[in-house]
Amino acid sequence: MKTGIGIIGVGTVGSGVVEILESKIAYYKQELGLDLKIQQICAKTEDELSPYAQKGYAITTKVEDLFSNPDVSIVIELAGGYDLPLKWITAALNSKKHVVTANKALIAKYGHLLFPLAAKNNCHLLFEAAVGGGIPIIRALQESLTGNTVKSLRCIINGTCNYILTEMTEKGLGFASVLADAQKLGYAEADPTFDVDAIDSAHKLAILASLCSKKYINFENMHISGIREIEAVDIDSAKEMGYTLKLLGIFNQTEQGMDARVHPCLVPSNHLLASVSGVLNAVYIEANNLGPALFTGAGAGKLPTASAVVADVVSIARSMEVGLKPIPMGFYSQENPADLVPIESLFNKYYFRFTTRDEKGVLAAITSILSENGISIESIIQKNVKDPGHVNISVVTERCREAAVNNALLKIGALSSMSQHPKMIRFAE
Ligand code: HSE
């Protein structure tokens, strides 16, 4: 059986998909018995398409041509954005085309609409490249780990943030200058909001957490905080304490409900995740039967991401060959939403930094507010800062309730001697 592929988008990842398919199609035929063919390629302009036309591929600037093409059975969507891709994938599924996408924002935002539609049309909708680029984490959670319950995840799933934090840690630089360099090097977008404010990580965590819990986890209900507020002084304090600062996506299945959140975290420097540096991604899982496991690798980039897209195409082609039904995703629907544990009820260990005027009684005021809120101090360090007459007071707490932390920080922040809003970073637990 010939399996025709239609591709929407020949940017970085799309061109990589064509490149990999061209190099592997003969192998898929000889070794796997799969007769894959790129049937049609769609992009916005003739200019983008001209190299592919020159190679003899059928091209079009009208996406609908792919859906009405009887020789296309798998549509690969690599355009980015969400509203148009939602329209296109809806049309593709309604035309009984299987779909592969790398679009994490689309799956996180509209997966609850698309998965039921795929099921209704008996179509596969695969998205391995949506999380962790080339790391095969989706297939691992959907297939390889089905003999387990994955109870928790600790994820580094945004290469831009991991690069920025790594540079800040290794070079002692501030956030703004590292971000500017990352933009020059092409590691960060001109508008870095989605990355540095952790929205991209939240999309990806919501997808992974839904697969683990078999419930629909809406990223909009998660606590999300990014890395803009991280300062070199906090990274230095982390180092002194034997910790490394990382932006983590955290998921725990607890008796109180699903705990899913994204925020900067202090990770013990001897933990596997602390050594995941630069643009690398990693997903650390705790599975009840397997135990802990780390998946790490390139979370973005042309060929790593394209390799995950191609793996989905091959998986669909094999399923079509043997008549295998799509993996059930019925849980990913608004009728099965997860109740998320509110961040205020988190019981955790915290780091605070108070930058204050060096005045009598400040330390006593801080410690008494912490004590009034039932927060016990594990350690406290006071250091002079460049600004004469000011000090940094770093506090590490014992485990305590986040609601109490919020209350205490509000009161401490209102002390007249405070020269900056208090900083708080959670320890990774
Ligand atoms: N902006 C993403 C990152 C790209 O920095 O990881 C891959 O999703």
Side-chain angles (χ1 to χ4, degrees), residues 131-146:
V131 183
I135 306 170
I137 185 63
I138 302 290
R139 188 152 291 109
L141 292 175
Q142 282 185 317
E143 296 185 32
S144 318
L145 292 162
T146 45

PDB file of all heavy atoms in Angstrom, residues 131-146:
ATOM      1  N   VAL A 131       6.746  18.021  22.191  1.00  0.00           N
ATOM      2  CA  VAL A 131       7.409  18.175  23.494  1.00  0.00           C
ATOM      3  C   VAL A 131       8.802  17.564  23.419  1.00  0.00           C
ATOM      4  O   VAL A 131       8.957  16.401  23.021  1.00  0.00           O
ATOM      5  CB  VAL A 131       6.615  17.487  24.626  1.00  0.00           C
ATOM      6  CG1 VAL A 131       7.297  17.735  25.970  1.00  0.00           C
ATOM      7  CG2 VAL A 131       5.176  17.961  24.658  1.00  0.00           C
ATOM      8  N   GLY A 132       9.800  18.359  23.798  1.00  0.00           N
ATOM      9  CA  GLY A 132      11.162  17.815  23.861  1.00  0.00           C
ATOM     10  C   GLY A 132      11.776  17.584  22.493  1.00  0.00           C
ATOM     11  O   GLY A 132      12.753  16.830  22.383  1.00  0.00           O
ATOM     12  N   GLY A 133      11.255  18.231  21.439  1.00  0.00           N
ATOM     13  CA  GLY A 133      11.843  18.113  20.096  1.00  0.00           C
ATOM     14  C   GLY A 133      12.052  16.666  19.693  1.00  0.00           C
ATOM     15  O   GLY A 133      11.095  15.912  19.504  1.00  0.00           O
ATOM     16  N   GLY A 134      13.308  16.257  19.596  1.00  0.00           N
ATOM     17  CA  GLY A 134      13.614  14.910  19.122  1.00  0.00           C
ATOM     18  C   GLY A 134      13.568  13.829  20.198  1.00  0.00           C
ATOM     19  O   GLY A 134      13.702  12.641  19.898  1.00  0.00           O
ATOM     20  N   ILE A 135      13.368  14.207  21.459  1.00  0.00           N
ATOM     21  CA  ILE A 135      13.360  13.200  22.538  1.00  0.00           C
ATOM     22  C   ILE A 135      12.055  12.405  22.450  1.00  0.00           C
ATOM     23  O   ILE A 135      10.977  12.991  22.457  1.00  0.00           O
ATOM     24  CB  ILE A 135      13.432  13.878  23.929  1.00  0.00           C
ATOM     25  CG1 ILE A 135      14.636  14.819  24.028  1.00  0.00           C
ATOM     26  CG2 ILE A 135      13.473  12.835  25.041  1.00  0.00           C
ATOM     27  CD1 ILE A 135      14.620  15.696  25.279  1.00  0.00           C
ATOM     28  N   PRO A 136      12.129  11.082  22.390  1.00  0.00           N
ATOM     29  CA  PRO A 136      10.886  10.303  22.225  1.00  0.00           C
ATOM     30  C   PRO A 136      10.114  10.126  23.535  1.00  0.00           C
ATOM     31  O   PRO A 136       9.923   9.014  24.014  1.00  0.00           O
ATOM     32  CB  PRO A 136      11.387   8.963  21.676  1.00  0.00           C
ATOM     33  CG  PRO A 136      12.784   8.851  22.171  1.00  0.00           C
ATOM     34  CD  PRO A 136      13.334  10.239  22.326  1.00  0.00           C
ATOM     35  N   ILE A 137       9.639  11.237  24.076  1.00  0.00           N
ATOM     36  CA  ILE A 137       8.975  11.176  25.388  1.00  0.00           C
ATOM     37  C   ILE A 137       7.472  10.893  25.250  1.00  0.00           C
ATOM     38  O   ILE A 137       6.885  10.233  26.099  1.00  0.00           O
ATOM     39  CB  ILE A 137       9.240  12.468  26.212  1.00  0.00           C
ATOM     40  CG1 ILE A 137       8.661  12.352  27.626  1.00  0.00           C
ATOM     41  CG2 ILE A 137       8.728  13.719  25.525  1.00  0.00           C
ATOM     42  CD1 ILE A 137       9.248  11.274  28.478  1.00  0.00           C
ATOM     43  N   ILE A 138       6.861  11.362  24.164  1.00  0.00           N
ATOM     44  CA  ILE A 138       5.411  11.129  24.012  1.00  0.00           C
ATOM     45  C   ILE A 138       5.167   9.632  23.815  1.00  0.00           C
ATOM     46  O   ILE A 138       4.323   9.025  24.479  1.00  0.00           O
ATOM     47  CB  ILE A 138       4.847  11.920  22.802  1.00  0.00           C
ATOM     48  CG1 ILE A 138       5.115  13.412  22.949  1.00  0.00           C
ATOM     49  CG2 ILE A 138       3.365  11.621  22.590  1.00  0.00           C
ATOM     50  CD1 ILE A 138       4.345  14.132  24.015  1.00  0.00           C
ATOM     51  N   ARG A 139       5.947   9.055  22.898  1.00  0.00           N
ATOM     52  CA  ARG A 139       5.758   7.620  22.638  1.00  0.00           C
ATOM     53  C   ARG A 139       6.096   6.810  23.880  1.00  0.00           C
ATOM     54  O   ARG A 139       5.462   5.811  24.175  1.00  0.00           O
ATOM     55  CB  ARG A 139       6.604   7.180  21.437  1.00  0.00           C
ATOM     56  CG  ARG A 139       6.304   5.758  20.987  1.00  0.00           C
ATOM     57  CD  ARG A 139       6.566   5.526  19.505  1.00  0.00           C
ATOM     58  NE  ARG A 139       5.624   6.230  18.658  1.00  0.00           N
ATOM     59  CZ  ARG A 139       5.926   7.289  17.916  1.00  0.00           C
ATOM     60  NH1 ARG A 139       7.144   7.759  17.891  1.00  0.00           N
ATOM     61  NH2 ARG A 139       5.018   7.871  17.185  1.00  0.00           N
ATOM     62  N   ALA A 140       7.101   7.253  24.623  1.00  0.00           N
ATOM     63  CA  ALA A 140       7.458   6.550  25.862  1.00  0.00           C
ATOM     64  C   ALA A 140       6.260   6.550  26.813  1.00  0.00           C
ATOM     65  O   ALA A 140       5.904   5.508  27.375  1.00  0.00           O
ATOM     66  CB  ALA A 140       8.661   7.218  26.517  1.00  0.00           C
ATOM     67  N   LEU A 141       5.623   7.703  26.976  1.00  0.00           N
ATOM     68  CA  LEU A 141       4.491   7.779  27.918  1.00  0.00           C
ATOM     69  C   LEU A 141       3.267   7.037  27.374  1.00  0.00           C
ATOM     70  O   LEU A 141       2.525   6.424  28.136  1.00  0.00           O
ATOM     71  CB  LEU A 141       4.122   9.243  28.203  1.00  0.00           C
ATOM     72  CG  LEU A 141       5.166  10.047  28.987  1.00  0.00           C
ATOM     73  CD1 LEU A 141       4.750  11.512  29.092  1.00  0.00           C
ATOM     74  CD2 LEU A 141       5.389   9.472  30.388  1.00  0.00           C
ATOM     75  N   GLN A 142       3.074   7.100  26.048  1.00  0.00           N
ATOM     76  CA  GLN A 142       1.866   6.472  25.482  1.00  0.00           C
ATOM     77  C   GLN A 142       2.007   4.962  25.328  1.00  0.00           C
ATOM     78  O   GLN A 142       1.030   4.245  25.367  1.00  0.00           O
ATOM     79  CB  GLN A 142       1.567   7.057  24.098  1.00  0.00           C
ATOM     80  CG  GLN A 142       0.908   8.413  24.156  1.00  0.00           C
ATOM     81  CD  GLN A 142       0.510   8.895  22.779  1.00  0.00           C
ATOM     82  OE1 GLN A 142       1.282   8.747  21.837  1.00  0.00           O
ATOM     83  NE2 GLN A 142      -0.656   9.471  22.660  1.00  0.00           N
ATOM     84  N   GLU A 143       3.241   4.498  25.085  1.00  0.00           N
ATOM     85  CA  GLU A 143       3.397   3.077  24.761  1.00  0.00           C
ATOM     86  C   GLU A 143       4.371   2.364  25.689  1.00  0.00           C
ATOM     87  O   GLU A 143       4.019   1.404  26.356  1.00  0.00           O
ATOM     88  CB  GLU A 143       3.852   2.922  23.303  1.00  0.00           C
ATOM     89  CG  GLU A 143       2.804   3.435  22.320  1.00  0.00           C
ATOM     90  CD  GLU A 143       3.180   3.182  20.871  1.00  0.00           C
ATOM     91  OE1 GLU A 143       3.841   2.175  20.583  1.00  0.00           O
ATOM     92  OE2 GLU A 143       2.812   4.011  20.022  1.00  0.00           O
ATOM     93  N   SER A 144       5.624   2.853  25.723  1.00  0.00           N
ATOM     94  CA  SER A 144       6.661   2.076  26.410  1.00  0.00           C
ATOM     95  C   SER A 144       6.424   1.971  27.913  1.00  0.00           C
ATOM     96  O   SER A 144       6.882   1.026  28.542  1.00  0.00           O
ATOM     97  CB  SER A 144       8.028   2.714  26.179  1.00  0.00           C
ATOM     98  OG  SER A 144       8.147   3.121  24.848  1.00  0.00           O
ATOM     99  N   LEU A 145       5.728   2.951  28.495  1.00  0.00           N
ATOM    100  CA  LEU A 145       5.567   2.961  29.954  1.00  0.00           C
ATOM    101  C   LEU A 145       4.164   2.549  30.394  1.00  0.00           C
ATOM    102  O   LEU A 145       3.773   2.809  31.530  1.00  0.00           O
ATOM    103  CB  LEU A 145       5.896   4.357  30.498  1.00  0.00           C
ATOM    104  CG  LEU A 145       7.378   4.735  30.381  1.00  0.00           C
ATOM    105  CD1 LEU A 145       7.585   6.229  30.522  1.00  0.00           C
ATOM    106  CD2 LEU A 145       8.206   3.989  31.419  1.00  0.00           C
ATOM    107  N   THR A 146       3.422   1.874  29.503  1.00  0.00           N
ATOM    108  CA  THR A 146       2.040   1.544  29.872  1.00  0.00           C
ATOM    109  C   THR A 146       1.975   0.499  30.989  1.00  0.00           C
ATOM    110  O   THR A 146       0.925   0.301  31.587  1.00  0.00           O
ATOM    111  CB  THR A 146       1.209   1.058  28.664  1.00  0.00           C
ATOM    112  OG1 THR A 146       2.005   0.133  27.943  1.00  0.00           O
ATOM    113  CG2 THR A 146       0.794   2.191  27.767  1.00  0.00           C
TER     114      THR A 146
END
